[in-house]
């Protein structure tokens, strides 16, 4: 007679491991047993990684200007997949806008994807109010 208890225990272990792995992928929190090792690996990686130099705000302003012109070209154009091109251009603009605001110490909303029109307007207004132009 096969060892049913051993098979069930093995199945529970495999399912538990899969659930922990999926939870780690979706939330970013590793399983409890792996956390010390992951912290040590991250600390080693952080010590070896050079600290990047900050990008000057003038370069970020130039990038915002370039991306704004690109968005206008995409909106006016009639190339295929216009919606996807417009979405990609706006996401790039939002990313550059956040970087510019961080560079000049303006608070930045946390957004996983792009910014809403209201958030974009408030960030652009804050930049203009602080004397920055692009």
């Amino acid at each position: 007679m096969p060892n049913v208890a051993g098979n069930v225990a093995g199945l529970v272990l495999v399912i538990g491991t899969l659930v922990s792995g999926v939870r780690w992928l979706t939330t970013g929190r590793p399983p409890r047993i792996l956390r010390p090792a992951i912290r040590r690996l991250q600390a080693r990686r952080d010590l070896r990684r050079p600290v990047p130099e900050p990008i000057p705000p003038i370069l970020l302003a130039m990038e915002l200007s370039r991306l704004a012109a690109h968005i206008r070209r995409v909106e006016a154009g009639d190339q295929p997949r216009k919606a996807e091109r417009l979405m990609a251009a706006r996401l790039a603009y939002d990313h550059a806008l956040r970087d510019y605001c961080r560079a000049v110490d303006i608070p930045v909303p946390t957004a996983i994807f792009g910014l809403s029109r209201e958030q974009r307007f408030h960030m652009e207004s804050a930049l203009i109010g602080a004397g920055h132009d692009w």
Side-chain angles (χ1 to χ4, degrees), residues 2 23 30 37 47 56 71 79-80 84 91 101 104 108 113 122:
R23 187 177 302 134
L47 287 175
I71 289 172
Q79 292 182 337
E84 285 128 359
L91 285 173
C101 286
V104 295
V108 177
F113 294 112
H122 287 301

Side-chain angles (χ1 to χ4, degrees), residues 1 6 22 44 48 70 76 78-79 82 85 93 123 125 129:
M1 178 180 250
V22 169
R44 275 184 64 193
R48 291 179 23 200
H70 179 68
D78 59 348
Q79 292 182 337
K82 183 175 180 177
R85 291 174 187 273
Y93 181 85
M123 290 173 69
S125 299

